[in-house]
Amino acid sequence: MAAKIISGKEVAASIREELKERVAALKKKGITPGLGVILVGEDPASVSYVTAKAKGAEEVGIFEETVHLPAESSEEEILKTVDRLNRDPRFHGVLVQLPLPKWVNTEKVINYISPEKDVDGFHPINLGKLLRGEPCPLPCTPYGVQQMLVRSGYSPEGKHVVICGRSNIVGKPLAALLMQKKPGANATVTICHTGTPDLKKFTLQAEILVAAMGAPKAITADMVPEGCVVIDVGVNRVPDPNSPKGFKLVGDCDFEAIKEKAAAITPVPGGVGPMTVTMLLMNTIEAAERMAL
Ligand code: L34
């Protein structure tokens, strides 16, 4: 039987309806949640993601401002901008879109974001809290993956989740989130990475398989067990002469072949991407709610 297609776009739309109500409640108290985004350079993928964030913010009633710095910006200029947004009371959330230019120390920039305004959940204080199971802003992509699973009837509780990829923004925080002893988590988690020999040996044991490797068709149908739930976090641009843009978006999974075998799979586009943006909006609203107390 063909897999159910889990629409991140639809789950995101229903969460955004809830968020509109929370924004309305804040506005009644005279508070408009605000998000400051720093974008450095013109990388087309980054520009597209930041545009999606600005549109999402507008949709739910969040005040958003993108500070667009030139590609050649120095580390000092970026740090100064972070500092300015940290101090600006209009912003409850501050984020620096990654990746940054190669001469910039990314860790240093992230460490500079005020932990209270860190709506990406990337600050070491917040990542430490996540690891300890303390309340903290959850990194948006992992949070989105969890919410998409829970809200479409595939809770990870008690399941074996195999994550392919160990990045600081997806693999590692997703593992920390899903192994927590909490509702909607409590999974058995395996992380695979480029140092894993015989990846297939592990992926074939997955009840939920998360692909976050950053390469098209990194996961093929022979690696996916029958009845598995597959979450495709990858967003890759591949050349496509039939598209007016000259490229198309694909994930890390061989979608067409895997959908004949899996119980459910997320598409790209329209899967994890819209969830990432929506959880950022949620974290911004939560930061505003916290600061209102
Ligand atoms: N600081 N940097 C920071 N925070 C983040 O959470 C991110 N990420 C990743 C890259 N850098 C970051 C994002 O925002 C990836 N990411 C992201 C955001 C949105 C989408 C994909 C990735 C998204 O909206 N994807 C759409 C298609 C967008 C398009 O047409 O290009 C989708 O349907 O998948």
Side-chain angles (χ1 to χ4, degrees), residues 48-49 53 95-98 120 122 237 249 269-270 273-274 276-277:
S48 144
Y49 304 156
K53 292 173 185 189
L95 88 81
V96 181
Q97 188 68 19
L98 303 179
D120 262 331
F122 291 169
R237 295 181 165 213
L249 290 179
T276 296
V277 174

Side-chain angles (χ1 to χ4, degrees), residues 35 37 49-59 62 64 66 277:
L35 172 66
V37 177
Y49 304 156
V50 166
T51 305
K53 292 173 185 189
K55 275 193 187 155
E58 191 190 346
E59 185 192 334
I62 292 174
E64 192 274 351
T66 299
V277 174

